[in-house]
Amino acid sequence: MAIPKPNPDPDPNPNPNPNIRARASVQGALRHSGALSAVEVRPSGMLLTACQTNSTLRVYELEAAHLAATRIAEAGLPPPVVAPTAGVNEWNYVERARLRDRHAEPCVAAAKWLNETTLVEVGFATDEENDAGPPQPVLRAWSIGDLPPQRARVFAADSGLFAGNNLSSFSSLATGDGLVAVTYNPPLNGPGYADVWRYCDASSSSADAWNTLVPMVRLEEHTAPIYASALGGGLLATGGDDCTVRLWSTTGAAFHMVAESPSTTG
């Protein structure tokens, strides 16, 4: 009876899927004019990008390159010089929208998809009543369901809709469950806080525009700056320098904290 020989060089971390390395390899790149402050892909294949050094949001449709080649051929256009194959994960980028508000300052602090056709942007705008004044922090809600995209609805952020002032620095943006959460940190490492907004489209509100962001609540339970936030599953999570994660229920009539991770030191 033959005894099977042991593998002389066993893989200590066998890969259950041998194609995963090929799928993870870089097959293309989009060049931008500055450091990126936002990159997010929707399950539908819509890509959102934004830069810290300009005021433009870009939206792309992602399409597998071999499918794009088929579509191009069916349209009677010249095929690509090198025909892609279905076995290689290459992507074709089609720019669908380039979004810029005329009052925007050259900085997009953050941007996220709120749903498949709506984007929320945290940025800055010139004061229309005082050109010499400092830029004002704003939220912009963009609709790209129609072409051309709808003009952005602009909302003052942290300057009157909630108690406080506009001297705090933006630190994170979260979207989910029809809500938008923006966290800020006051100067001198003061305790951070989160402002929560509810999105209402034209079909669910009496607003005279296609959509609106309605301020809901300011959450101020942290004892140090906040740098992370997430929304989903009826919860808002926030975390920062006080070494705690705080969970807030978003499903009831009023927000309330449902959990707090213990602070640790050392």
Side-chain angles (χ1 to χ4, degrees):
M1 177 177 173
I3 300 176
K5 296 181 180 180
N7 186 346
D9 187 19
D11 186 350
N13 298 301
N15 188 344
N17 188 339
N19 296 321
I20 192 168
R21 181 172 297 176
R23 289 205 307 269
S25 62
V26 176
Q27 299 293 337
L30 282 171
R31 296 294 180 185
H32 288 71
S33 60
L36 288 169
S37 57
V39 175
E40 186 177 9
V41 179
R42 296 293 297 171
S44 62
M46 296 292 287
L47 169 67
L48 165 66
T49 68
C51 290
Q52 295 175 340
T53 53
N54 63 43
S55 55
T56 302
L57 296 174
R58 288 177 172 83
V59 179
Y60 300 88
E61 292 181 4
L62 301 181
E63 184 178 24
H66 69 282
L67 297 179
T70 301
R71 177 175 51 80
I72 291 171
E74 291 175 349
L77 299 175
V81 176
V82 179
T85 62
V88 179
N89 197 10
E90 296 176 336
W91 294 94
N92 186 50
Y93 301 89
V94 179
E95 185 174 292
R96 179 172 176 181
R98 188 172 293 193
L99 311 173
R100 183 184 183 278
D101 186 77
R102 63 190 180 95
H103 295 293
E105 288 291 299
C107 174
V108 176
K112 281 186 175 292
W113 292 97
L114 182 60
N115 53 47
E116 288 292 341
T117 60
T118 306
L119 307 176
V120 176
E121 169 195 354
V122 178
F124 298 88
T126 55
D127 190 338
E128 297 183 36
E129 299 179 358
N130 180 14
D131 291 338
Q136 303 297 309
V138 296
L139 299 179
R140 296 184 180 93
W142 297 89
S143 175
I144 62 167
D146 301 315
L147 294 176
Q150 295 273 1
R151 182 179 181 273
R153 288 295 309 279
V154 181
F155 306 89
D158 194 29
S159 59
L161 293 179
F162 297 99
N165 55 60
N166 59 5
L167 298 178
S168 300
S169 297
F170 160 81
S171 59
S172 74
L173 169 67
T175 58
D177 298 338
L179 301 174
V180 176
V182 186
T183 63
Y184 298 93
N185 294 320
L188 304 177
N189 292 322
Y193 54 90
D195 288 343
V196 183
W197 308 65
R198 181 173 296 282
Y199 170 78
C200 299
D201 61 26
S203 63
S204 61
S205 71
S206 59
D208 59 358
W210 59 268
N211 73 0
T212 189
L213 292 175
V214 178
M216 295 184 64
V217 65
R218 170 167 288 179
L219 305 172
E220 302 179 283
E221 296 297 324
H222 281 276
T223 60
I226 301 174
Y227 293 104
S229 59
L231 275 163
L235 294 171
L236 165 64
T238 56
D241 278 357
D242 59 4
C243 304
T244 64
V245 174
R246 298 171 192 265
L247 293 177
W248 310 82
S249 173
T250 65
T251 56
F255 277 58
H256 62 278
M257 192 165 61
V258 296
E260 175 184 349
S261 67
S263 175
T264 60
T265 58

